[in-house]
Amino acid sequence: MYNEGGHTEGWHGDGWISNFPGLHSLPPDIVATLVETSRIARLPVGTRIFGPGQAPDAFLLLIRGTVRVQQVSESGREIVLYRVSAGDSCALTTACLMGYEDYQAEAVAETDVEAVAIPRATFDDLIARSPDFRRFVFTAFSHRVTDLFRVIEEVAFSRVDVRLAQRLVERANDQGRVDLTHQQLAAELGTAREVVSRQLNEFQRRGWISTSRGAIDLVQPNELRRLAAAP
Amino acid sequence: MYNEGGHTEGWHGDGWISNFPGLHSLPPDIVATLVETSRIARLPVGTRIFGPGQAPDAFLLLIRGTVRVQQVSESGREIVLYRVSAGDSCALTTACLMGYEDYQAEAVAETDVEAVAIPRATFDDLIARSPDFRRFVFTAFSHRVTDLFRVIEEVAFSRVDVRLAQRLVERANDQGRVDLTHQQLAAELGTAREVVSRQLNEFQRRGWISTSRGAIDLVQPNELRRLAAAP
DNA sequence: CCGGGTCTGTGACCTAGTCACATTGGCGCC
DNA sequence: GGCGCCAATGTGACTAGGTCACAGACCCGG
């Protein structure tokens, strides 16, 4: 433990670092800086971490939970851009902030979230001092940008049935159940609810799924996967 | 001029730095590093700077010309993601490289291009040493990400007629002429050629444009602008 | 069991993308 | 000049996707 004035603070140790593979090899002095100046933030589910109106003042590393980054159009339609989960950083959002641009994406805590909040000054300091930290940050960037590229590709060139099948498979829990409404699925894909409803009806007609209010059970997930892998 | 071994090198001075507002306030030692280790690259129009197959080994700052970054789908459809012009950096592309990810976007020199190529080692060094350089890089990132967000928003939520009107206005030269084929316009928007042809016919029917082979003249640019600004 | 809100279903209609093929314009070449 | 080629453009028919309006169905608290 590093200099914490003698009182125990639970998570305020360096234990969380083990959650970040990219940070394993940081030299002790860097770890010390991180641990000393960062604090642990706990955000209840639904918290808007970033968006028109709010802005985080720190670089966030997620210890637990997931954050959804999405875009909302004037007409109220939504599309999910990507998710940040434990071990990832909110690099992109942070970078955009640093560019002082206002843009209309927003980040929402999809579950209760625990995150390391690295103050801007520390972030800057670490970027300067640690090649490993730099690599960590740039790698995170890279992943997010790749996500955005994929979103663009899918929205521009893929069919909704294929994309819907992908999401169903991807967001099903262990029991093969997807706990989302048609409206929420539509928001995932950036399409309209009616479109999702119709596609789901078609899937059900084929016996691939069974639907109930607010949830969908995957009956033949392999068929969905096959469609999802379609060219 | 900084240490250049006594021989003149034309562009290999620090003259180009004046093209990058974000770099104006760099301290002399940083400028020295930049000038000493970077070289000037000249790329003829059409050069594929980055893409499936090629990869740049350096961070690029554009002195002259423009670079188009686009995505190509399996089916052959294309969409332009953003353009990098003089004074900008190819930050995003570079970052993606550093993340060692393979993705399918490509960068093409849209005109003859002159750029400062900063080797990876120098880039890393400068990031470490110069807060201003960091700010420059992150700001560039931010702009590109904002571009991507806008592309997603437009592709997902905007009508093609509106987007086409935007492009026509945006890519018209001083004489109000757009030197692009319908196919090229379709590639800008990520749609199909027939769709563009039909929309152009509609614009022409309304007297807003007149078309000829390989070019479009804006007759009533204000009407196009009005449509482009539509909600 | 009743009333509200949320969620889902549906038909009609419009916009966008696909496919197949016809037509035209420009340009080099005999 | 006339010919032939190829890229660019035009068009119709059809499918997929998005919008609108509204009807039921389900759920939960009172």
Side-chain angles (χ1 to χ4, degrees):
Chain A
M1 282 283 169
Y2 298 88
N3 172 21
E4 281 193 342
H7 58 294
T8 33
E9 295 201 38
W11 273 101
H12 286 68
D14 59 1
W16 55 264
I17 286 193
S18 60
N19 291 309
F20 301 92
L23 299 179
H24 275 165
S25 49
L26 292 182
D29 61 317
I30 301 291
V31 172
T33 304
L34 257 179
V35 171
E36 279 163 23
T37 65
S38 63
R39 57 186 183 76
I40 305 293
R42 289 189 178 73
L43 311 166
V45 55
T47 306
R48 172 182 277 176
I49 298 167
F50 173 87
Q54 289 100 321
D57 51 345
F59 185 81
L60 292 181
L61 303 181
L62 255 66
I63 297 170
R64 241 184 31 200
T66 68
V67 172
R68 185 178 68 237
V69 177
Q70 61 192 357
Q71 204 166 37
V72 184
S73 80
E74 297 174 10
S75 64
R77 265 173 60 191
E78 300 182 12
I79 183 168
V80 173
L81 301 177
Y82 58 87
R83 288 183 164 80
V84 181
S85 52
D88 283 336
S89 73
C90 292
L92 213 55
T93 355
T94 313
C96 291
L97 283 182
M98 295 171 65
Y100 303 100
E101 299 225 15
D102 48 294
Y103 63 94
Q104 50 287 47
E106 63 175 14
V108 180
E110 203 164 33
T111 63
D112 285 341
V113 161
E114 218 161 53
V116 184
I118 303 179
R120 196 171 179 135
T122 303
F123 177 78
D124 211 46
D125 179 41
L126 290 176
I127 285 282
R129 279 165 54 201
S130 169
D132 285 318
F133 188 76
R134 283 201 293 277
R135 183 165 9 260
F136 175 78
V137 170
F138 281 116
T139 303
F141 263 121
S142 165
H143 290 164
R144 293 307 144 243
V145 170
T146 305
D147 286 343
L148 292 184
F149 282 176
R150 192 176 46 248
V151 170
I152 292 175
E153 162 135 27
E154 289 180 359
V155 172
F157 306 133
S158 294
R159 299 170 48 95
V160 272
D161 53 355
V162 172
R163 300 204 293 137
L164 179 56
Q166 283 172 0
R167 287 289 170 149
L168 288 176
V169 170
E170 173 182 318
R171 300 197 56 73
N173 62 21
D174 300 340
Q175 288 78 47
R177 167 172 273 241
V178 181
D179 282 305
L180 295 172
T181 67
H182 298 186
Q183 180 60 64
Q184 288 172 316
L185 279 166
E188 294 274 331
L189 302 178
T191 184
R193 194 221 9 121
E194 297 91 321
V195 174
V196 169
S197 291
R198 281 196 272 263
Q199 293 292 350
L200 289 176
N201 280 341
E202 175 61 18
F203 290 169
Q204 190 161 31
R205 198 189 60 74
R206 296 184 197 168
W208 296 357
I209 62 173
S210 73
T211 64
S212 50
R213 191 184 171 90
I216 294 146
D217 288 289
L218 310 192
V219 179
Q220 297 187 33
N222 286 332
E223 291 298 321
L224 289 170
R225 264 187 279 271
R226 212 154 56 81
L227 177 58
Chain B
M1 284 281 168
Y2 298 88
N3 173 22
E4 281 190 345
H7 59 293
T8 33
E9 298 199 35
W11 272 102
H12 287 68
D14 60 1
W16 55 263
I17 286 192
S18 60
N19 291 310
F20 301 93
L23 298 179
H24 275 164
S25 50
L26 292 182
D29 60 319
I30 301 292
V31 172
T33 304
L34 257 179
V35 171
E36 279 164 24
T37 65
S38 62
R39 56 186 184 76
I40 305 293
R42 289 190 177 76
L43 311 167
V45 56
T47 306
R48 173 183 277 175
I49 298 167
F50 173 88
Q54 289 99 323
D57 51 343
F59 184 81
L60 293 181
L61 303 181
L62 255 66
I63 297 170
R64 241 184 30 200
T66 68
V67 172
R68 185 177 69 236
V69 178
Q70 59 194 357
Q71 205 167 37
V72 184
S73 80
E74 298 174 11
S75 64
R77 266 173 60 191
E78 300 181 13
I79 183 167
V80 173
L81 301 177
Y82 58 87
R83 288 184 164 78
V84 180
S85 53
D88 284 336
S89 72
C90 292
L92 214 54
T93 355
T94 313
C96 292
L97 284 181
M98 296 171 64
Y100 303 98
E101 299 225 17
D102 48 296
Y103 61 95
Q104 50 288 48
E106 63 174 15
V108 180
E110 204 164 33
T111 64
D112 285 341
V113 160
E114 217 161 53
V116 184
I118 304 179
R120 198 173 177 133
T122 303
F123 177 78
D124 211 47
D125 179 42
L126 289 175
I127 285 283
R129 281 166 54 202
S130 169
D132 285 318
F133 189 77
R134 283 201 292 278
R135 182 164 10 260
F136 176 77
V137 170
F138 281 116
T139 303
F141 263 121
S142 164
H143 290 163
R144 293 308 145 240
V145 170
T146 305
D147 286 342
L148 292 184
F149 283 176
R150 192 176 47 248
V151 170
I152 292 176
E153 163 136 26
E154 288 181 359
V155 172
F157 306 132
S158 294
R159 299 170 48 94
V160 274
D161 54 355
V162 173
R163 300 204 293 136
L164 179 56
Q166 282 172 1
R167 289 288 171 151
L168 288 176
V169 170
E170 174 182 317
R171 299 197 55 73
N173 62 20
D174 300 341
Q175 288 78 47
R177 166 172 276 240
V178 181
D179 282 305
L180 296 172
T181 66
H182 298 184
Q183 181 59 64
Q184 288 172 316
L185 278 166
E188 293 274 330
L189 303 177
T191 183
R193 199 236 344 139
E194 297 92 320
V195 175
V196 169
S197 291
R198 279 196 274 263
Q199 293 293 349
L200 289 177
N201 280 342
E202 176 60 19
F203 290 168
Q204 190 162 32
R205 199 189 59 75
R206 295 184 198 168
W208 296 357
I209 62 173
S210 73
T211 64
S212 51
R213 192 184 171 89
I216 295 146
D217 287 289
L218 310 192
V219 179
Q220 297 187 34
N222 286 332
E223 291 298 319
L224 289 170
R225 264 187 279 272
R226 210 154 56 81
L227 176 59

